[in-house]
């Protein structure tokens, strides 16, 4: 049985498209059952719809609390009977109960070699630090931001003259390869979050 995967986005959705593309391959162990965005104008929603994937969106600004918004997301995920959640440029922080509920079943991709350069603008952070390489990390999402254990990483060189844009493009090409590979091993049960990260 293929795992039922929902993707959460806030913007462009190029990683989302890479995951949808991979899921069309025969023998891929996951299917994308829906894409949700907290930004109704996210360009990725139109791409998903073009691919025939169900979409839903609702602004977090419609909700009084983070918990209320997360409850809404949970209702959407329940409707899709999602078993795994992939964050792909989803720019919201979760409430602790939602994050705990999905611990061990939620992945994110971050454009740095975590644990280096958490948070915003990691490509610029890598340049500012004078690093000679950077890359991307697919990691488990745990309640602490950008802090779950890595599942897979890909490295890229930093070359003289690099800007945040040129480095971002080099990393993004690797992201599109890495995320489908990482989701595949999770969907097959070949990667699991170590038990001590679970709160229950
Ligand atoms: C990617 O660089 C991803 O690593 C980061 O946000 C960006 C999303 O890009 N979390 P896209 O929406 O997948 O094109």
């Amino acid at each position: 049985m293929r795992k039922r995967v929902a993707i959460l986005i806030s913007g462009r959705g190029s990683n989302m498209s890479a995951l949808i593309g991979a899921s069309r391959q025969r023998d891929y162990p996951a299917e994308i059952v829906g894409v949700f965005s907290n930004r109704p104008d996210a360009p990725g929603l139109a791409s998903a719809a073009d691919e025939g994937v169900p979409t839903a969106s609702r602004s977090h600004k419609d909700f009084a609390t983070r918990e209320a918004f997360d409850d809404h997301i949970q209702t959407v995920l329940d409707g899709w009977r999602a078993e795994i959640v992939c964050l792909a440029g989803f720019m919201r922080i979760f409430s602790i109960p939602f994050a705990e509920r999905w611990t061990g079943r939620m992945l994110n991709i971050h454009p740095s070699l975590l644990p280096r350069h958490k948070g915003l603008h990691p490509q610029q952070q890598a340049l500012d630090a004078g690093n000679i390489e950077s890359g991307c990390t697919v990691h488990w999402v745990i309640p602490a931001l950008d802090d779950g254990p890595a599942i897979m990483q890909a490295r890229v060189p930093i070359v003289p003259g690099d800007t945040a844009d040129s480095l971002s493009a080099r990393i993004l090409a690797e992201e599109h390869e890495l995320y489908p590979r990482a989701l595949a091993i999770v969907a097959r049960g070949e990667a699991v979050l170590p038990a001590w990260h679970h709160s229950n």
Side-chain angles (χ1 to χ4, degrees):
M1 276 295 273
R2 303 208 298 160
K3 289 285 185 194
R4 299 178 63 82
V5 175
I7 304 175
L8 272 49
I9 65 168
S10 296
R12 176 177 58 181
S14 69
N15 279 289
M16 171 209 79
S17 292
L19 292 173
I20 292 171
S23 74
R24 303 275 195 236
Q25 293 161 15
R26 249 163 45 89
D27 301 337
Y28 195 78
E31 63 179 310
I32 309 304
V33 295
V35 172
F36 175 84
S37 176
N38 66 311
R39 298 184 57 109
D41 58 352
L45 285 173
S47 314
D50 284 348
E51 291 281 348
V53 175
T55 62
S57 67
R58 188 76 189 269
S59 173
H60 52 278
K61 295 176 188 156
D62 293 346
F63 297 84
T65 63
R66 196 176 289 284
E67 287 74 11
F69 180 55
D70 289 352
D71 285 348
H72 175 73
I73 298 175
Q74 184 62 49
T75 302
V76 172
L77 297 176
D78 287 344
W80 289 331
R81 290 184 289 121
E83 299 170 288
I84 295 172
V85 171
C86 287
L87 308 182
F90 187 66
M91 303 300 285
R92 295 293 303 166
I93 296 170
F94 294 118
S95 58
I96 302 286
F98 182 90
E100 286 183 344
R101 181 166 187 170
W102 285 92
T103 296
R105 298 182 296 147
M106 184 154 65
L107 288 61
N108 183 39
I109 188 158
H110 185 79
S112 78
L113 295 174
L114 290 175
R116 269 186 271 170
H117 312 316
K118 298 175 184 178
L120 293 176
H121 311 302
Q123 302 93 340
Q124 187 63 51
Q125 290 185 44
L127 294 173
D128 292 346
N131 296 159
I132 59 166
E133 64 170 5
S134 188
C136 47
T137 304
V138 176
H139 65 95
W140 296 107
V141 176
I142 62 173
L145 186 65
D146 291 340
D147 218 10
I151 299 166
M152 287 179 114
Q153 291 187 311
R155 318 177 91 82
V156 304
I158 293 177
V159 300
D162 257 341
T163 62
D165 281 350
S166 64
L167 179 57
S168 297
R170 192 175 307 124
I171 294 172
L172 192 64
E174 295 297 324
E175 293 184 41
H176 297 163
E177 300 294 319
L178 187 73
Y179 212 168
R181 287 170 48 213
L183 175 59
I185 66 168
V186 168
R188 288 197 192 96
E190 294 167 3
V192 292
L193 179 69
W196 59 84
H197 290 283
H198 290 268
S199 57
N200 46 20

